[in-house]
Amino acid sequence: MSQTLSASMLLAVPLAPLAGSALAGIWGTAFGGNKIGRGGSHSLTILGVLIAFILSAITFNSVIFDGARFDQSIYTWMEIGGLKMEVGFLIDSITAMMMCVVTFVSLMVHIYTIGYMQEDDGYNRFFSYISLFTFSMLMLVMSNNLLQLFFGWEAVGLVSYLLIGFYYNKPSAIFANMKAFLVNRVGDFGFILGIGLIAAYTGTMNYGEIFAKLPEIQNTLLPGTGWLLVTVTAICLFIGAMGKSAQFPLHAWLPDSMEGPTPISALIHAATMVTAGIFMVSRMSPLYELSDTALSFILVIGSITALFMGVLGIIQNDIKRVIAYSTLSQLGYMTVALGASAYSVAVFHLMTHAFFKALLFLGAGSVIMGMHHNQDIRWMGGVRKYMPITWITFLLGNLALIGTPFFSGFYSKDAIIEAVHATNLPGAGFANFAVLAGVFITAFYSFRLYFIVFHGKERYDQNPDAHHHGHDDHHAHDDHHGHGHDAKPHESPLVVTGPLMLLAIPSVVIGALALMPMLFGDFFKGVIHVDGSKHGAMAELAEKIHGWVPMALHGFTAAPFWLALAGVVVSYLFYMVKPEVPAAIKSSMQKIGVYQALEGKYGVDWVYENIFARGARAFGSFFWKVGDQAIIDGGIVNGSWKLIGRIGQWVRKLQSGYLYHYALVMLLGVFALMTYFVWLNK
C-alpha cells in the first residue's frame, strides 16, 4: 500500500467541499449575518472543490500508476450484535476515477456559476448547495460499506431536492422538487430492502466481507418462496438505482428537474446523482453475476429507457429539456451495458458522458444567458455568429453525444452496442434493436436542437413571451443586461466560456485515452467481477477491439455511424431545408393522437399524478375522515364518554333517595336469589 494514500488525505477530499459549503451557507447567508459576501462565498466553495480535485488527482495517480489501494474503516458509529456500522473508505480504480470526474465537473460548474448566477439573490445559498452536493457524492463513491453508500445516496437526494426547488416561490419548481423527492423514495424503499437482505444473510455491510460470503448464500432461497435470495436482493438494489439513475418507470422526475438553475442541471445530470445507480451496480458486480434473471431485468429496463425516452427528446422545445431527455436515454445505454455484464463499459460511458453532457448543459446555459433568458429554441436561430465559443464547444459536445468516431462518446457508445450484440440473455433482441434505433434518434434530436439554435433564420426578436421570465430567469429581468427583448444575442463572459472550453477537451480525447486500459487492461482488475463462463460479452469485445485508431476507422463502416449520419442529415433536411415537413408530420401525428401521447410522456406522469398521487390522497382522506375522525374520534373516544354519560344519567334516576324504594329492590333481589337456588338450581 502506498504511503500517499493516508486516511487524513482521503478525509480531506470530501471534507474540503463540506467546509466550503458550511462557511458559505452560514456566513454567506442571512442566517449568519452574511459576513463574507458573494466573493467570499464563491472563493471558499471553489477553493474547497479545488482542493478535493487536486487530492483526487493525486489519489488517481497513486492508484493507477503505483498500484496503491486503501480499504479500512475510519470510524465505528455503532455495533449491534455482530453487525458493525462504520464510516470507511475503499479507494480503488473505479473510486479514484469517480472522484476525479465528480470533482472536476463540480469545479467547472462552480466557476461557471460565478457568471451564470451573478444577479441572483440566492447566489451564496446556491454555492453552498452545490458544494454540499459534491461532498455527498464523494461520500457515496468513496464508501467501503453499504451504510455509508446509503448515507451518500440519501444526501444527494436531499441536496437535489433543495436545488431543484431553488426558486421556492415558483409553483412549478416546488412541484418538481417534490416529484423528485417522492419518486426517489419509491426507489429507495427497494434499495433499503436489498441492503436489509444483505445485512440479514451475511451479517455485514462491508463490501469485501459481503463478496466473500456470496458463495455461501448463492443457492439460498428467500423463505416462503421459490426465489433465489441473490436474485431478489439484486433486483431490490437495482430498484434503488432505477430511482436514482432515472430508469423507466421511475424516470419521471428527471425532466422536471430542469426547474432548478442550469448549473445544477449539469451537476445532477452529468457527474453526480444520476450516475450513482450505475456506480452502485458496477460496485456490486459479484452479486449481479450470480443472477441472470436480475441481469435480464436490468437489460430490458435499460432498453426501454434508452429507446422511448430518446423519442421524447424529438418534440421538446425547451433547450434544457431536450438535453434532459438525452440524459435519460444515455443512462438507459449505461444500464443496458450493466445488463450485458459489461460493467466496465457502463462505467466507461458514465465517465465520457459526464464530460460531454456537462458541456452541453453549461453550453445551453450560456445560450440562455446570451438570449436574455429565453429557453424556447423556436425563438433562437443564427446564434452561431454572436456566440462563437459557445457554438463550437456545443458542437463538439453534440458530436461526442451522437457517437462520432474519434470523439469520446463514440468509443463508449459503440462498445455498449457491441456488448449488447454479444449477449444472449432474455431480452437481448429487444435491447439490440433499442440501442441501434437510439443512435438514429439521438443524432436526430441533438442536431435538431443544434440547427434550430445556432443556424438558420434569426428569430430572437419574434418571441411573444420576451417580456416574461423564462423557466430559469434567476429572478432577473429580460433586459437585465441593458438590452430590450429584441436585443441581439451576445457571447458569455470568460468565467462561463472558460469551463466550456475545459470540458470540451475531455469530451474529445478522453475516450481514446481510456479505451484500452479501462476495457481490456488492468484498470478494473480485482474491482469489477465478470463470470466469463456465463457472460462472454467482454471476451467478444476483446476480440473485436484492438486499439482506439482501428476502432474509430472501423466505426466509419459500421451501422451505428451510418445511423447517426442519417439522423444528422434528416434533421438538417427537416429544419434547415424543408421546415414545412416536420410541421406536416406533427399535424398528421396530432390527428391520430400519437403526438398527444408523446407530449403526455406516454401517460406515465398522468398515471402517477391521477392514480398513485390522487389515489394515495383519497386513501389518506378516507382513513382521516372515516378511520380517524368518524371511528376513532367519533366512535371510540367521543362515543365512549357519551355512552358512560348516558349510563350515568340512567343510574342517577334509580337513586331516588326514598327508603321504601331501596327496601323494595332488596326484597326483589332476595326473591330472585331464592328462586334461583331453590327451584332453578336443583
Side-chain angles (χ1 to χ4, degrees), residues 97-98 100-106 108-109 265-272 274-275 327 330-331 334 346-362 408-409 412 503-504 506-507 510:
M97 183 275 293
M98 288 293 295
C100 289
V101 170
V102 169
T103 52
F104 177 73
V105 173
S106 179
M108 295 300 102
V109 169
S265 300
L267 204 51
I268 290 178
H269 287 230
T272 57
V274 294
T275 63
T327 300
Q330 295 307 305
L331 285 166
M334 297 176 210
V347 174
F348 182 38
H349 194 53
L350 182 160
M351 179 189 70
T352 60
H353 174 264
F355 295 116
F356 63 72
K357 187 51 59 73
L359 172 61
L360 287 171
F361 266 115
L362 297 185
S408 63
S412 53
L503 282 165
S507 297
I510 197 73

Short mmCIF file of all heavy atoms in Angstrom, two decimals, residues 97-98 100-106 108-109 265-272 274-275 327 330-331 334 346-362 408-409 412 503-504 506-507 510:
data_model
loop_
_atom_site.label_atom_id
_atom_site.label_comp_id
_atom_site.label_asym_id
_atom_site.label_seq_id
_atom_site.Cartn_x
_atom_site.Cartn_y
_atom_site.Cartn_z
N MET A 97 -11.34 7.03 -10.22
CA MET A 97 -11.87 7.63 -11.44
C MET A 97 -13.10 8.49 -11.15
O MET A 97 -13.20 9.62 -11.62
CB MET A 97 -12.21 6.51 -12.44
CG MET A 97 -12.72 7.01 -13.80
SD MET A 97 -14.48 7.35 -13.83
CE MET A 97 -15.14 5.71 -13.64
N MET A 98 -14.01 7.96 -10.34
CA MET A 98 -15.23 8.70 -9.99
C MET A 98 -14.90 9.96 -9.21
O MET A 98 -15.52 11.01 -9.42
CB MET A 98 -16.18 7.82 -9.17
CG MET A 98 -16.85 6.72 -9.97
SD MET A 98 -18.01 7.30 -11.22
CE MET A 98 -19.29 8.07 -10.24
N CYS A 100 -12.23 11.83 -9.46
CA CYS A 100 -11.71 12.82 -10.40
C CYS A 100 -12.83 13.42 -11.25
O CYS A 100 -12.88 14.64 -11.46
CB CYS A 100 -10.64 12.21 -11.30
SG CYS A 100 -9.10 11.85 -10.43
N VAL A 101 -13.72 12.57 -11.74
CA VAL A 101 -14.82 13.05 -12.58
C VAL A 101 -15.73 13.99 -11.79
O VAL A 101 -16.07 15.09 -12.24
CB VAL A 101 -15.62 11.87 -13.16
CG1 VAL A 101 -16.91 12.35 -13.82
CG2 VAL A 101 -14.79 11.09 -14.15
N VAL A 102 -16.13 13.56 -10.59
CA VAL A 102 -17.04 14.35 -9.77
C VAL A 102 -16.43 15.71 -9.42
O VAL A 102 -17.07 16.76 -9.58
CB VAL A 102 -17.42 13.58 -8.48
CG1 VAL A 102 -18.14 14.50 -7.49
CG2 VAL A 102 -18.29 12.38 -8.81
N THR A 103 -15.18 15.71 -8.96
CA THR A 103 -14.57 16.96 -8.52
C THR A 103 -14.26 17.89 -9.69
O THR A 103 -14.41 19.11 -9.58
CB THR A 103 -13.29 16.68 -7.71
OG1 THR A 103 -12.43 15.81 -8.46
CG2 THR A 103 -13.63 16.04 -6.37
N PHE A 104 -13.82 17.33 -10.84
CA PHE A 104 -13.52 18.18 -11.99
C PHE A 104 -14.78 18.84 -12.54
O PHE A 104 -14.80 20.05 -12.76
CB PHE A 104 -12.83 17.36 -13.09
CG PHE A 104 -12.54 18.17 -14.35
CD1 PHE A 104 -11.53 19.12 -14.35
CD2 PHE A 104 -13.29 18.00 -15.49
CE1 PHE A 104 -11.27 19.88 -15.49
CE2 PHE A 104 -13.04 18.75 -16.64
CZ PHE A 104 -12.03 19.69 -16.64
N VAL A 105 -15.83 18.04 -12.78
CA VAL A 105 -17.07 18.62 -13.29
C VAL A 105 -17.65 19.61 -12.29
O VAL A 105 -18.11 20.70 -12.66
CB VAL A 105 -18.09 17.51 -13.63
CG1 VAL A 105 -19.45 18.11 -13.99
CG2 VAL A 105 -17.59 16.63 -14.76
N SER A 106 -17.59 19.27 -11.02
CA SER A 106 -18.09 20.17 -9.98
C SER A 106 -17.30 21.48 -9.97
O SER A 106 -17.87 22.56 -9.82
CB SER A 106 -18.01 19.50 -8.61
OG SER A 106 -18.46 20.36 -7.61
N MET A 108 -15.76 22.89 -12.52
CA MET A 108 -16.19 23.66 -13.70
C MET A 108 -17.55 24.32 -13.45
O MET A 108 -17.76 25.48 -13.82
CB MET A 108 -16.28 22.73 -14.93
CG MET A 108 -14.94 22.13 -15.38
SD MET A 108 -13.73 23.38 -15.84
CE MET A 108 -12.69 23.39 -14.36
N VAL A 109 -18.45 23.59 -12.82
CA VAL A 109 -19.78 24.13 -12.52
C VAL A 109 -19.67 25.29 -11.53
O VAL A 109 -20.36 26.31 -11.67
CB VAL A 109 -20.71 23.02 -11.99
CG1 VAL A 109 -22.00 23.61 -11.42
CG2 VAL A 109 -21.03 22.01 -13.08
N SER A 265 -28.36 21.54 -13.23
CA SER A 265 -28.74 20.54 -14.22
C SER A 265 -27.49 19.80 -14.70
O SER A 265 -27.49 18.58 -14.86
CB SER A 265 -29.44 21.20 -15.41
OG SER A 265 -30.60 21.87 -14.99
N ALA A 266 -26.42 20.56 -14.93
CA ALA A 266 -25.16 19.96 -15.37
C ALA A 266 -24.60 19.04 -14.30
O ALA A 266 -24.07 17.96 -14.60
CB ALA A 266 -24.15 21.06 -15.69
N LEU A 267 -24.72 19.43 -13.05
CA LEU A 267 -24.14 18.65 -11.96
C LEU A 267 -24.96 17.39 -11.69
O LEU A 267 -24.40 16.30 -11.53
CB LEU A 267 -24.03 19.51 -10.69
CG LEU A 267 -22.99 19.10 -9.65
CD1 LEU A 267 -21.62 18.90 -10.25
CD2 LEU A 267 -22.94 20.10 -8.51
N ILE A 268 -26.28 17.51 -11.63
CA ILE A 268 -27.15 16.36 -11.40
C ILE A 268 -27.05 15.37 -12.55
O ILE A 268 -26.89 14.17 -12.37
CB ILE A 268 -28.62 16.80 -11.21
CG1 ILE A 268 -28.82 17.52 -9.88
CG2 ILE A 268 -29.55 15.57 -11.25
CD1 ILE A 268 -30.26 18.02 -9.67
N HIS A 269 -27.14 15.88 -13.78
CA HIS A 269 -27.27 15.03 -14.96
C HIS A 269 -25.95 14.46 -15.44
O HIS A 269 -25.92 13.47 -16.15
CB HIS A 269 -27.90 15.81 -16.10
CG HIS A 269 -29.35 16.06 -15.90
ND1 HIS A 269 -30.30 15.79 -16.84
CD2 HIS A 269 -30.04 16.52 -14.85
CE1 HIS A 269 -31.49 16.10 -16.37
NE2 HIS A 269 -31.35 16.55 -15.18
N ALA A 270 -24.87 15.11 -15.11
CA ALA A 270 -23.60 14.70 -15.70
C ALA A 270 -22.78 13.82 -14.78
O ALA A 270 -22.43 12.69 -15.13
CB ALA A 270 -22.80 15.93 -16.11
N ALA A 271 -22.46 14.32 -13.61
CA ALA A 271 -21.42 13.67 -12.83
C ALA A 271 -21.85 13.13 -11.49
O ALA A 271 -21.13 12.33 -10.91
CB ALA A 271 -20.26 14.66 -12.61
N THR A 272 -22.98 13.54 -10.99
CA THR A 272 -23.28 13.16 -9.61
C THR A 272 -24.49 12.25 -9.52
O THR A 272 -24.39 11.07 -9.82
CB THR A 272 -23.45 14.41 -8.72
OG1 THR A 272 -24.46 15.24 -9.26
CG2 THR A 272 -22.17 15.21 -8.66
N VAL A 274 -27.33 11.13 -10.88
CA VAL A 274 -27.87 10.10 -11.77
C VAL A 274 -26.87 8.99 -12.06
O VAL A 274 -27.26 7.91 -12.52
CB VAL A 274 -28.38 10.71 -13.10
CG1 VAL A 274 -29.57 11.62 -12.86
CG2 VAL A 274 -27.27 11.44 -13.84
N THR A 275 -25.60 9.25 -11.83
CA THR A 275 -24.61 8.19 -12.06
C THR A 275 -24.46 7.26 -10.86
O THR A 275 -23.79 6.24 -10.96
CB THR A 275 -23.24 8.80 -12.41
OG1 THR A 275 -22.76 9.57 -11.31
CG2 THR A 275 -23.34 9.69 -13.63
N THR A 327 -30.13 12.80 -21.49
CA THR A 327 -29.54 12.16 -20.31
C THR A 327 -30.26 10.86 -19.98
O THR A 327 -29.64 9.84 -19.70
CB THR A 327 -29.61 13.11 -19.09
OG1 THR A 327 -28.89 14.30 -19.38
CG2 THR A 327 -29.01 12.45 -17.86
N GLN A 330 -29.21 8.22 -22.47
CA GLN A 330 -27.82 7.76 -22.27
C GLN A 330 -27.69 6.93 -20.98
O GLN A 330 -26.90 6.00 -20.92
CB GLN A 330 -26.87 8.96 -22.22
CG GLN A 330 -26.79 9.73 -23.53
CD GLN A 330 -26.46 8.84 -24.71
OE1 GLN A 330 -25.47 8.13 -24.73
NE2 GLN A 330 -27.33 8.87 -25.72
N LEU A 331 -28.45 7.26 -19.96
CA LEU A 331 -28.48 6.43 -18.76
C LEU A 331 -29.04 5.05 -19.08
O LEU A 331 -28.61 4.04 -18.53
CB LEU A 331 -29.32 7.10 -17.66
CG LEU A 331 -28.66 8.28 -16.96
CD1 LEU A 331 -29.70 9.05 -16.16
CD2 LEU A 331 -27.53 7.83 -16.04
N MET A 334 -26.20 3.04 -20.47
CA MET A 334 -25.33 2.54 -19.39
C MET A 334 -25.97 1.34 -18.71
O MET A 334 -25.30 0.35 -18.40
CB MET A 334 -25.08 3.64 -18.36
CG MET A 334 -24.33 4.85 -18.89
SD MET A 334 -24.19 6.13 -17.61
CE MET A 334 -24.16 7.60 -18.60
N ALA A 346 -20.05 0.19 -19.06
CA ALA A 346 -21.03 1.11 -18.46
C ALA A 346 -20.33 2.25 -17.74
O ALA A 346 -20.70 3.42 -17.89
CB ALA A 346 -21.95 0.35 -17.51
N VAL A 347 -19.31 1.90 -16.96
CA VAL A 347 -18.57 2.92 -16.21
C VAL A 347 -17.78 3.81 -17.17
O VAL A 347 -17.65 5.02 -16.96
CB VAL A 347 -17.64 2.26 -15.18
CG1 VAL A 347 -16.75 3.30 -14.50
CG2 VAL A 347 -18.45 1.50 -14.14
N PHE A 348 -17.27 3.23 -18.24
CA PHE A 348 -16.56 3.98 -19.27
C PHE A 348 -17.49 5.03 -19.90
O PHE A 348 -17.13 6.20 -20.06
CB PHE A 348 -16.03 3.00 -20.32
CG PHE A 348 -15.23 3.63 -21.44
CD1 PHE A 348 -14.35 4.67 -21.20
CD2 PHE A 348 -15.34 3.14 -22.75
CE1 PHE A 348 -13.60 5.23 -22.24
CE2 PHE A 348 -14.59 3.68 -23.78
CZ PHE A 348 -13.74 4.74 -23.52
N HIS A 349 -18.72 4.61 -20.23
CA HIS A 349 -19.69 5.55 -20.79
C HIS A 349 -20.13 6.58 -19.75
O HIS A 349 -20.37 7.74 -20.09
CB HIS A 349 -20.90 4.80 -21.34
CG HIS A 349 -21.79 5.64 -22.23
ND1 HIS A 349 -21.32 6.35 -23.30
CD2 HIS A 349 -23.12 5.90 -22.17
CE1 HIS A 349 -22.32 7.01 -23.89
NE2 HIS A 349 -23.43 6.76 -23.22
N LEU A 350 -20.21 6.14 -18.50
CA LEU A 350 -20.51 7.09 -17.41
C LEU A 350 -19.48 8.22 -17.40
O LEU A 350 -19.84 9.39 -17.28
CB LEU A 350 -20.51 6.33 -16.07
CG LEU A 350 -20.83 7.06 -14.77
CD1 LEU A 350 -21.25 6.04 -13.72
CD2 LEU A 350 -19.64 7.84 -14.22
N MET A 351 -18.22 7.86 -17.54
CA MET A 351 -17.15 8.85 -17.49
C MET A 351 -17.18 9.78 -18.71
O MET A 351 -17.16 11.01 -18.56
CB MET A 351 -15.79 8.15 -17.42
CG MET A 351 -14.61 9.11 -17.39
SD MET A 351 -13.02 8.32 -17.57
CE MET A 351 -13.08 7.79 -19.28
N THR A 352 -17.24 9.21 -19.91
CA THR A 352 -17.24 10.06 -21.11
C THR A 352 -18.48 10.94 -21.14
O THR A 352 -18.41 12.13 -21.45
CB THR A 352 -17.17 9.22 -22.39
OG1 THR A 352 -18.31 8.35 -22.46
CG2 THR A 352 -15.89 8.39 -22.43
N HIS A 353 -19.62 10.37 -20.76
CA HIS A 353 -20.89 11.10 -20.75
C HIS A 353 -20.85 12.26 -19.76
O HIS A 353 -21.42 13.32 -20.02
CB HIS A 353 -22.03 10.13 -20.41
CG HIS A 353 -23.36 10.79 -20.23
ND1 HIS A 353 -23.87 11.16 -19.00
CD2 HIS A 353 -24.30 11.15 -21.14
CE1 HIS A 353 -25.05 11.72 -19.15
NE2 HIS A 353 -25.34 11.72 -20.43
N ALA A 354 -20.18 12.07 -18.64
CA ALA A 354 -20.11 13.14 -17.63
C ALA A 354 -19.53 14.41 -18.23
O ALA A 354 -20.03 15.52 -17.97
CB ALA A 354 -19.28 12.68 -16.44
N PHE A 355 -18.50 14.27 -19.04
CA PHE A 355 -17.84 15.45 -19.61
C PHE A 355 -18.69 16.11 -20.69
O PHE A 355 -18.94 17.31 -20.65
CB PHE A 355 -16.46 15.07 -20.14
CG PHE A 355 -15.50 14.64 -19.08
CD1 PHE A 355 -15.00 13.34 -19.06
CD2 PHE A 355 -15.11 15.50 -18.08
CE1 PHE A 355 -14.13 12.93 -18.06
CE2 PHE A 355 -14.23 15.10 -17.08
CZ PHE A 355 -13.75 13.80 -17.07
N PHE A 356 -19.13 15.32 -21.68
CA PHE A 356 -19.84 15.99 -22.78
C PHE A 356 -21.25 16.41 -22.39
O PHE A 356 -21.77 17.39 -22.93
CB PHE A 356 -19.81 15.18 -24.09
CG PHE A 356 -20.49 13.83 -24.08
CD1 PHE A 356 -21.87 13.71 -24.04
CD2 PHE A 356 -19.73 12.66 -24.20
CE1 PHE A 356 -22.48 12.47 -24.08
CE2 PHE A 356 -20.34 11.41 -24.24
CZ PHE A 356 -21.71 11.31 -24.18
N LYS A 357 -21.87 15.72 -21.43
CA LYS A 357 -23.19 16.16 -21.01
C LYS A 357 -23.09 17.43 -20.15
O LYS A 357 -23.94 18.32 -20.26
CB LYS A 357 -23.92 15.04 -20.27
CG LYS A 357 -25.39 15.32 -19.93
CD LYS A 357 -26.22 15.79 -21.14
CE LYS A 357 -26.22 14.77 -22.29
NZ LYS A 357 -27.03 13.60 -22.03
N ALA A 358 -22.08 17.52 -19.29
CA ALA A 358 -21.85 18.76 -18.55
C ALA A 358 -21.59 19.91 -19.52
O ALA A 358 -22.11 21.02 -19.34
CB ALA A 358 -20.67 18.60 -17.59
N LEU A 359 -20.82 19.63 -20.56
CA LEU A 359 -20.54 20.63 -21.59
C LEU A 359 -21.83 21.09 -22.26
O LEU A 359 -22.04 22.30 -22.45
CB LEU A 359 -19.57 20.04 -22.62
CG LEU A 359 -19.30 20.88 -23.88
CD1 LEU A 359 -18.69 22.22 -23.51
CD2 LEU A 359 -18.38 20.11 -24.83
N LEU A 360 -22.70 20.17 -22.61
CA LEU A 360 -23.95 20.52 -23.29
C LEU A 360 -24.87 21.34 -22.39
O LEU A 360 -25.48 22.32 -22.83
CB LEU A 360 -24.66 19.26 -23.77
CG LEU A 360 -24.01 18.56 -24.98
CD1 LEU A 360 -24.67 17.21 -25.24
CD2 LEU A 360 -24.10 19.43 -26.22
N PHE A 361 -24.99 20.95 -21.14
CA PHE A 361 -25.84 21.70 -20.22
C PHE A 361 -25.30 23.11 -19.98
O PHE A 361 -26.05 24.09 -20.00
CB PHE A 361 -26.01 20.96 -18.89
CG PHE A 361 -27.22 20.10 -18.85
CD1 PHE A 361 -27.11 18.74 -18.76
CD2 PHE A 361 -28.49 20.66 -18.94
CE1 PHE A 361 -28.24 17.92 -18.74
CE2 PHE A 361 -29.62 19.86 -18.92
CZ PHE A 361 -29.50 18.49 -18.82
N LEU A 362 -24.01 23.20 -19.74
CA LEU A 362 -23.43 24.52 -19.50
C LEU A 362 -23.48 25.36 -20.78
O LEU A 362 -23.66 26.57 -20.72
CB LEU A 362 -21.99 24.38 -18.98
CG LEU A 362 -21.85 23.67 -17.63
CD1 LEU A 362 -20.40 23.71 -17.15
CD2 LEU A 362 -22.74 24.28 -16.56
N SER A 408 -15.06 11.13 -27.77
CA SER A 408 -15.11 10.25 -26.59
C SER A 408 -16.38 9.40 -26.56
O SER A 408 -16.34 8.22 -26.20
CB SER A 408 -15.00 11.08 -25.31
OG SER A 408 -16.09 11.97 -25.18
N GLY A 409 -17.52 10.00 -26.91
CA GLY A 409 -18.78 9.26 -26.84
C GLY A 409 -18.84 8.09 -27.79
O GLY A 409 -19.54 7.10 -27.54
N SER A 412 -17.27 4.71 -26.10
CA SER A 412 -18.10 4.10 -25.06
C SER A 412 -19.44 3.61 -25.61
O SER A 412 -19.89 2.51 -25.28
CB SER A 412 -18.31 5.08 -23.91
OG SER A 412 -18.81 6.32 -24.36
N LEU A 503 -14.08 21.72 -20.56
CA LEU A 503 -14.87 20.49 -20.66
C LEU A 503 -14.83 19.91 -22.07
O LEU A 503 -14.99 18.70 -22.26
CB LEU A 503 -16.32 20.75 -20.24
CG LEU A 503 -16.59 20.84 -18.73
CD1 LEU A 503 -17.95 21.45 -18.47
CD2 LEU A 503 -16.49 19.47 -18.07
N ALA A 504 -14.64 20.75 -23.06
CA ALA A 504 -14.59 20.28 -24.44
C ALA A 504 -13.39 19.38 -24.70
O ALA A 504 -13.45 18.47 -25.53
CB ALA A 504 -14.56 21.48 -25.40
N PRO A 506 -11.75 16.99 -22.63
CA PRO A 506 -12.01 15.56 -22.37
C PRO A 506 -13.17 15.01 -23.20
O PRO A 506 -13.19 13.82 -23.51
CB PRO A 506 -12.33 15.50 -20.87
CG PRO A 506 -12.72 16.89 -20.49
CD PRO A 506 -11.93 17.79 -21.40
N SER A 507 -14.12 15.87 -23.58
CA SER A 507 -15.23 15.41 -24.43
C SER A 507 -14.73 14.87 -25.76
O SER A 507 -15.38 14.04 -26.39
CB SER A 507 -16.23 16.56 -24.68
OG SER A 507 -16.81 16.99 -23.47
N ILE A 510 -10.87 11.99 -24.14
CA ILE A 510 -10.80 11.05 -23.02
C ILE A 510 -11.17 9.63 -23.44
O ILE A 510 -10.65 8.65 -22.90
CB ILE A 510 -11.71 11.52 -21.85
CG1 ILE A 510 -11.34 10.80 -20.54
CG2 ILE A 510 -13.19 11.28 -22.17
CD1 ILE A 510 -10.08 11.25 -19.93
#
